[in-house]
């Protein structure tokens, strides 16, 4: 049984699953291939997904969706909310002349089943699930017989409440009450990474309480907060950075305290929703001692929902809800050099030799690296990466300027899994760059944040042979199997996925060269 699953709305994704083998075939996110961030499904995405199937699939699945802030918004499929009766739509659809089974379940269920399907725990292991995102802030239990039990709502819209602080501080934010920019949660997480924690003063505490406790339409109303010292204080202000840390801490404690009171069976915790991209929160969940284990999928945001609905459909039709998967099951790289009309003129081209790339990195060059399929989720994990040597603080500044970020923004390290304990402390391995680790090696200045932490990715040969081989080659020349690793993309766009775009980006951003497939291109 083959399942073709769609996630409509923003963060559009098309996923395919083979139910007979319990395998995720692909997950193609519409933003990948340099399309705008959070793009809906495009004809390109649909056509790329269709290339997987020699014949039409057996099941057509649709992840439910609707506008969350308007009661008159038209729902797609089973809609946004619900896990009980009425949260599924089951029937038949005629699709390109063939009658298929049709399955749709809510967006809420998609988050739950995505985390469950991708988690390493065997079917039959009861799990807790936390879904926290722009609208949902709820805990659930998945029983041994795959029943969802909702344990309670901690907070409505934690992601939206958190992001509201960034819009408050940004003089450019002029949207009407209740509206937000999808980039703001990530921007505030980045600001928090540069903040100083401490006790909130009276004004800060009043603002935190308002953002977390006021009715949502008031919490997202900048006009109501015009008298706040944070209003239009600036997105680079230290006041914003410091309050972001305090708000982040206060929000986490609301969820932690609920979990400590309610989730008392010690089951593993699965985390889904956009808040699952906050490494500080993920690390605190792992360290809190309430759970047997913690798992966060790399596509924890809405881009994982097509996978979740495919898994939910598989559960409905087969009774199984676990998937074998790879983080590298996004779109394959397209080498379109033949249509580039001289765009590579002036670049020196040679066959990929890892020793040559490693030497260039050691000499201080910054290199784009695109091999194999895209990663699923937003983290560059060695297939769509910008790479550099990790030793000099000045390299962090250069990378941040290439990316258009503040000079002191953190830059993530990728490290050979077998060497990680030499350079970093904390739970290992960490293959998906979703937790903070303390840096214990003083030579790694480019990847050490002001608080001594780093958002680590460990790389095994099984996980990514090509990237592991490059790290090994760099270690052979430098003595250290660590590289700076940041995402390869145009501003406000998904990963670069073709040679022509990569060449244009490398020239415009000031990279020293790039690797595309088995070829190297050098400038200067």
């Amino acid at each position: 049984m083959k399942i073709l699953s769609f996630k409509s709305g923003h963060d559009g994704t098309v996923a395919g699953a083979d139910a007979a083998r319990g395998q995720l075939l692909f997950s193609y996110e519409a933003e990948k291939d340099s399309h705008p961030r959070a793009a809906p499904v495009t004809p390109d995405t649909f056509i790329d997904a269709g290339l997987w199937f020699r014949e039409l699939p057996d099941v057509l699945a649709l992840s439910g969706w609707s506008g969350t802030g308007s009661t008159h918004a038209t729902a797609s499929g089973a809609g946004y909310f619900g896990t009980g009766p009425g949260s599924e739509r089951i029937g038949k659809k005629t699709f390109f002349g063939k009658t298929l089974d049709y399955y749709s379940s809510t967006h809420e269920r998609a988050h739950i089943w995505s985390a469950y399907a991708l988690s390493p725990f065997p079917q039959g292991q009861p799990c807790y699930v936390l879904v926290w995102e722009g609208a949902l802030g709820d805990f659930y239990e998945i029983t041994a017989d795959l029943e969802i039990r909702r344990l309670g709502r901690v907070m409505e819209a934690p992601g939206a409440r958190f992001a509201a602080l960034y819009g408050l501080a940004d003089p450019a934010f002029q949207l009407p009450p209740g509206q937000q920019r999808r980039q703001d949660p990530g921007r505030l997480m980045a600001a928090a990474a540069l903040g100083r924690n401490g006790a909130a003063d009276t004004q800060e505490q009043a603002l935190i309480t308002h953002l977390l406790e006021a009715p949502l339409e008031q919490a997202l109303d900048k006009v109501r907060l015009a008298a706040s010292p944070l209003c239009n204080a600036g997105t680079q202000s230290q006041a914003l950075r410091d309050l972001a840390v305090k708000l982040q801490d206060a929000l986490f404690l609301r969820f932690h305290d609920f979990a400590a009171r309610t989730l008392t069976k010690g089951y593993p915790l699965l985390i889904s929703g956009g808040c699952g991209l906050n490494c500080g929160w993920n690390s605190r969940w792992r360290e809190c001692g309430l759970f047997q284990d913690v798992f966060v999928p790399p596509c924890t945001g809405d881009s994982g929902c097509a996978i979740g609905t495919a898994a939910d459909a598989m559960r409905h039709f087969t009774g199984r809800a676990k998937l074998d998967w790879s983080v590298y099951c996004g779109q394959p790289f397209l080498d379109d050099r033949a249509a580039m009309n001289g765009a590579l003129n002036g670049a020196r081209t040679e066959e990929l030799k890892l020793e040559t790339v490693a030497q260039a990195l050691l000499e201080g060059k910054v290199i784009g690296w695109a091999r194999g399929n895209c990663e699923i989720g937003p983290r560059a994990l060695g297939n769509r990466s910008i790479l550099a040597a990790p030793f000099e603080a000045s390299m962090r500044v250069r990378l941040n300027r290439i990316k258009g970020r503040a000079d002191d923004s953190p830059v993530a390290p990728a490290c050979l899994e077998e060497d990680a304990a030499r350079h970093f402390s904390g739970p290992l391995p960490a293959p998906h760059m979703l937790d903070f680790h303390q840096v214990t090696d003083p030579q790694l200045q480019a990847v050490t944040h002001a608080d001594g932490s780093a958002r680590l990715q460990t790389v095994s040969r099984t996980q990514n042979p090509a990237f592991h081989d490059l790290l090994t080659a760099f270690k052979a020349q430098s003595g250290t199997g660590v590289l700076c690793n940041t995402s390869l993309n145009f501003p406000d766009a998904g990963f670069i996925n073709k040679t022509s775009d990569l060449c244009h980006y490398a020239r415009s951003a000031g990279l020293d060269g790039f690797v595309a497939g088995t070829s190297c291109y050098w400038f200067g």
Side-chain angles (χ1 to χ4, degrees):
M1 174 185 285
K2 302 292 197 308
I3 301 169
L4 180 62
S5 180
F6 294 85
K7 193 277 178 186
S8 56
H10 67 73
D11 291 281
T13 310
V14 185
D18 185 334
R21 294 190 292 164
Q23 183 178 12
L24 178 64
L25 301 174
F26 62 87
S27 181
Y28 291 170
E29 300 164 22
E31 71 171 34
K32 303 296 169 67
D33 199 13
S34 301
H35 294 299
R37 290 276 193 198
V41 169
T42 63
D44 304 84
T45 323
F46 182 83
I47 291 170
D48 287 344
L51 296 175
W52 260 95
F53 295 98
R54 295 188 178 184
E55 57 186 24
L56 290 176
D58 305 290
V59 178
L60 190 64
L62 179 62
S63 186
W65 186 251
S66 66
T68 58
S70 174
T71 57
H72 65 267
T74 301
S76 173
Y80 202 100
F81 300 102
T83 59
S87 62
E88 300 171 279
R89 304 282 187 272
I90 303 159
K92 302 283 186 180
K93 295 280 187 182
T94 300
F95 189 67
F96 289 97
K98 179 182 176 181
T99 300
L100 308 180
D101 285 307
Y102 170 76
Y103 182 87
S104 179
S105 58
T106 60
H107 181 76
E108 187 170 354
R109 290 177 65 109
H111 273 304
I112 294 167
W113 290 113
S114 176
Y116 183 83
L118 302 181
S119 72
F121 313 114
Q123 185 160 317
Q125 165 68 64
C127 294
Y128 293 126
V129 183
L130 167 60
V131 178
W132 53 350
E133 46 120 69
L136 294 161
D138 299 66
F139 281 104
Y140 313 81
E141 178 185 334
I142 298 181
T143 67
D145 57 359
L146 303 184
E147 177 186 350
I148 299 173
R149 295 178 179 170
R150 185 171 174 274
L151 301 177
R153 170 159 294 177
V154 180
M155 182 186 301
E156 179 189 16
R161 293 173 182 276
F162 179 69
L165 180 61
Y166 193 90
L168 177 65
D170 185 0
F173 182 88
Q174 302 294 336
L175 293 179
Q179 295 189 27
Q180 291 186 302
R181 300 172 298 199
R182 295 194 185 98
Q183 307 96 323
D184 283 2
R187 290 167 173 169
L188 192 63
M189 290 181 198
L194 302 170
R196 302 166 299 196
N197 207 345
D201 63 29
T202 302
Q203 284 186 317
E204 290 174 329
Q205 187 57 56
L207 179 55
I208 290 171
T209 300
H210 176 81
L211 291 174
L212 299 185
E213 297 183 4
L216 187 61
E217 63 275 12
Q218 296 179 21
L220 304 186
D221 186 350
K222 184 173 181 177
V223 175
R224 284 180 176 269
L225 297 170
S228 168
L230 261 291
C231 187
N232 297 329
T235 59
Q236 302 299 317
S237 67
Q238 194 61 46
L240 172 64
R241 294 171 173 181
D242 293 347
L243 190 55
V245 176
K246 297 168 187 176
L247 175 63
Q248 185 172 261
D249 186 58
L251 192 153
F252 176 83
L253 288 175
R254 303 288 178 103
F255 281 82
H256 174 272
D257 292 348
F258 180 95
R261 294 192 306 269
T262 311
L263 282 62
T264 58
K265 299 176 183 177
Y267 296 153
L269 176 67
L270 316 179
I271 296 175
S272 192
C275 294
L277 295 172
N278 187 308
C279 293
W281 288 334
N282 292 342
S283 295
R284 292 184 71 173
W285 283 122
R286 293 187 192 281
E287 296 163 1
C288 72
L290 297 176
F291 307 106
Q292 174 185 324
D293 203 347
V294 175
F295 172 75
V296 187
C299 50
T300 183
D302 281 6
S303 63
C305 286
I307 298 172
T309 302
D312 204 359
M314 190 171 78
R315 174 207 55 79
H316 172 79
F317 289 109
T318 71
R320 300 186 301 276
K322 303 295 294 187
L323 290 168
D324 289 330
W325 60 284
S326 166
V327 73
Y328 306 105
C329 66
Q331 291 93 319
F333 187 79
L334 173 63
D335 186 355
D336 63 348
R337 283 176 293 178
M340 288 176 61
N341 296 320
L344 285 167
N345 289 346
R348 176 168 54 87
T349 305
E350 61 186 29
E351 182 181 355
L352 171 62
K353 295 180 181 178
L354 295 180
E355 295 77 12
T356 302
V357 175
Q359 181 62 38
L361 290 165
L362 188 56
E363 291 171 355
K365 290 183 169 55
V366 177
I367 296 172
W369 176 268
R371 300 200 65 188
N373 287 29
C374 281
E375 299 88 338
I376 60 174
R379 302 286 193 245
L381 301 172
N383 278 18
R384 300 292 183 274
S385 293
I386 298 172
L387 304 176
F391 305 119
E392 303 294 334
S394 59
M395 181 58 75
R396 179 175 65 247
V397 174
R398 183 181 174 193
L399 289 171
N400 281 324
R401 290 180 180 176
I402 287 172
K403 297 290 292 183
R405 302 183 299 218
D407 287 354
D408 53 353
S409 295
V411 170
C415 178
L416 291 169
E417 182 180 299
E418 59 268 31
D419 289 355
R422 291 176 48 198
H423 308 291
F424 305 93
S425 65
L428 298 170
H432 301 138
M433 205 184 283
L434 289 167
D435 300 277
F436 285 132
H437 291 69
Q438 289 299 117
V439 182
T440 57
D441 184 345
Q443 69 175 333
L444 301 179
Q445 293 298 306
V447 298
T448 304
H449 189 42
D451 63 0
S453 70
R455 192 178 68 193
L456 172 66
Q457 177 202 3
T458 58
V459 183
S460 71
R461 198 164 208 299
T462 302
Q463 170 195 351
N464 191 327
F467 195 32
H468 187 273
D469 286 349
L470 176 62
L471 287 162
T472 301
F474 185 75
K475 179 183 177 183
Q477 299 197 32
S478 70
T480 302
V482 180
L483 287 170
C484 298
N485 176 17
T486 190
S487 59
L488 182 61
N489 58 284
F490 291 97
D492 297 319
F495 294 155
I496 292 170
N497 205 44
K498 60 171 70 81
T499 307
S500 56
D501 284 347
L502 180 48
C503 179
H504 175 64
Y505 177 81
R507 289 186 187 277
S508 62
L511 304 189
D512 298 301
F514 65 90
V515 172
T518 58
S519 298
C520 291
Y521 304 87
W522 302 102
F523 304 118

